[in-house]
Amino acid sequence: MTMSREQIRDFVMTYLETTECRFLEKSPYHVTVKLSPRADRDLTNRPYYWGFIERTGTEPETMTFSFIFDPERHRETQEESGGGETAQEDPLMSRHFGAVRPLPILGPNRVQREELHFGSPRLKQIFAAAKQGGRSVYLFEDPGPLQRETLVSAAYEPWLGVRFKLEFCCDMKREELHFIGVSLRTGQIADPFTARLAGKAFAPRVPENMHVMPSHLTLEQGLKALESRIGERLSRCDSAWADEARERLGEELTLIDAYYKDLLADPDEERKKAAAEQYEARRGEIRWQYEPRIVVSAIGSGIFHLRSPG
């Protein structure tokens, strides 16, 4: 698997927009941003700095990055414009500790340059931050410009959405993804939940002239309702794959029994004991490999506030 420069740029731009970074420069070949506090925590590895901010309650000075997606074209553009970067002193540390020399890499106002390509450490770091941050979301449906102008406030209905991964495991493996939602107000199940979200735009904050209706179900009750739906789905699954896996398991165990039959009858007690240990270990390995089992895991969730139909 790999990604083109355009795909990398789209992914990084989405991450920066979602984490509310401030864009200073944009081009098809690069972007320069002042990181938001969230992105700074994700990407800069400054635990002592953020510990200082939390202890003192001081407004943080986040770092500035220039992410390069096409180094050659960006270099040509820089040469044509004669642009450059200069390091500056950290104003926050200066206020508390007096004049300090700018750090070569970690000064908040220094523009740190990073070339991003598939497999680069910084891109891997962004992938990891996006994955961690995307495991749980809290979003509001965009009601559109007309709702902002009307005099009457409209209501949101809170929904819990969970993406489940079903793994059908034996000597072969099959995976299924199911995104299911439940209304925390009415208990209604939406399966798949993607059908209810399709075509909608979302924002991380409550838009103007909107309010959230109270929930009648707790998150725990909502999750139990979704788990019950997954259980119903599994109960309707064709079990032929499991029956076939058990047949293959039986065949493999029969082969092992035949192989170790004479070894287990060895009159030498030491060799017999060693053969018995190998026999049990091998049977355990085969059972783990062939015995059918279903593993269910939640790989992402969110609270989605959808505009109430009534």
Side-chain angles (χ1 to χ4, degrees), residues 56-70:
T56 61
T58 309
E59 188 72 19
E61 286 286 347
T62 59
M63 294 180 64
T64 300
F65 276 79
S66 186
F67 295 118
I68 313 300
F69 308 111
D70 189 332

Side-chain angles (χ1 to χ4, degrees), residues 1-16:
M1 177 182 176
T2 187
M3 295 174 69
S4 67
R5 287 172 176 170
E6 291 75 18
Q7 290 172 323
I8 292 173
R9 183 182 188 278
D10 290 344
F11 181 88
V12 172
M13 294 295 284
T14 299
Y15 168 79
L16 297 174

